[in-house]
Amino acid sequence: MKPTISPSILNCDIADLRGELTKISSADVAHVDVMDNHFVPNLSWGLPVAEAVVASKILPVDAHLMIEDPDRWAPSYAEIGCQSVTFHAEAAAAPLRLARELHRIGSRVGLALRPATDIAPFVDILSEFDMILVMTVEPGFGGQSFIDSMLPKVRRTREAINAAGLEVSVQVDGGVSRRTIERAAEAGADNFVAGSAVFTADDACAEIATLRELAARHCH
Ligand code: DX5
Ligand code: ZN
């Protein structure tokens, strides 16, 4: 699998959203973190901002919904044209029904796991998803340190996907940088969210290229 680099715009200069998206235009997608101040202790933005990023047509949008009641809110993100919509396993009342609804609307579907949530309960329904997001920080804020003890979960997730003969992406999100990306790729991740690593770099495109190259050494 070719590595996918998904810069998170959480900590970008929101007053210059178009400029910031243009800076990362060599990425595969723009990762848009939606936080509701209930599921996580932080508030970011919602549908109108996601819609503006979609409308800019600079990059496809990978929406990461850190919100309560995704059963109610996630379909709107598919309807406005997000390429993929990821909701949290801990928040969804009926993850399978929601995944099918998002697919019916036409988006790809991701299932996100907080650090303390195991993949085991979801192994039998992996085929319902296009991506599993293994959080490598506790969700809520950018700029945190990568939690190495998540690597066994990345590995178990990749092994379960391979054992089922599926083509499902494994995304890691939180603390991904040139210092940590190889460990994640080696464990089986193929999709890498990086916020501060990309937006604090002098040259965001060069940083994206470096991350892609480091990950490609381990993505098979
Ligand atoms: C954290 C968000 C991440 C975050 C990544 O809750 O889901 O997408 O913004 O930022 P860094 O790469 O700085 O950890
Ligand atoms: Zn995220």
Side-chain angles (χ1 to χ4, degrees):
M1 264 184 176
K2 265 182 54 194
T4 296
I5 306 295
S6 314
S8 160
I9 62 166
L10 183 62
N11 289 331
C12 78
D13 176 6
I14 179 124
D16 181 21
L17 198 46
R18 183 176 292 277
E20 295 286 74
L21 289 165
T22 305
K23 255 194 215 167
I24 57 162
S25 58
S26 65
D28 298 287
V29 297
H31 180 87
V32 175
D33 287 304
V34 177
M35 302 180 179
D36 67 351
N37 207 21
H38 291 275
F39 182 70
V40 289
N42 194 8
L43 184 65
S44 58
W45 44 55
L47 210 52
V49 170
E51 203 166 6
V53 180
V54 171
S56 77
K57 292 196 163 70
I58 298 170
L59 283 169
V61 171
D62 170 37
H64 175 195
L65 307 182
M66 286 161 275
I67 60 172
E68 284 182 358
D69 205 2
D71 306 70
R72 174 172 175 195
W73 300 109
S76 303
Y77 289 83
E79 276 156 13
I80 62 165
C82 292
Q83 183 185 70
S84 59
V85 178
T86 298
F87 59 85
H88 270 264
E90 307 83 3
L96 211 140
R97 183 170 60 213
L98 181 54
R100 290 183 177 177
E101 187 178 352
L102 293 168
H103 274 144
R104 187 184 53 73
I105 297 168
S107 76
R108 296 184 195 165
V109 183
L111 180 72
L113 308 173
R114 297 183 85 129
T117 305
D118 194 9
I119 185 65
F122 306 100
V123 161
D124 292 336
I125 56 166
L126 284 173
S127 64
E128 303 282 340
F129 301 96
D130 303 286
M131 183 165 86
I132 303 297
L133 165 49
V134 176
M135 288 303 300
T136 44
V137 297
E138 198 61 74
F141 302 92
Q144 304 181 75
S145 301
F146 186 88
I147 304 172
D148 268 289
S149 58
M150 292 299 109
L151 292 173
K153 181 159 63 179
V154 172
R155 205 176 295 278
R156 287 198 303 281
T157 303
R158 172 56 66 203
E159 283 168 2
I161 291 165
N162 290 350
L166 297 168
E167 284 212 8
V168 177
S169 275
V170 178
Q171 185 177 60
V172 283
D173 181 6
V176 174
S177 69
R178 48 171 87 193
R179 287 176 301 285
T180 55
I181 195 166
E182 287 190 82
R183 299 205 282 280
E186 197 274 324
D190 63 286
N191 187 315
F192 306 87
V193 178
S196 41
V198 168
F199 280 100
T200 60
D202 291 336
D203 181 344
C205 277
E207 196 61 27
I208 289 165
T210 301
L211 292 173
R212 193 176 270 135
E213 193 188 307
L214 291 170
R217 291 183 188 170
H218 304 275
C219 286
H220 310 293

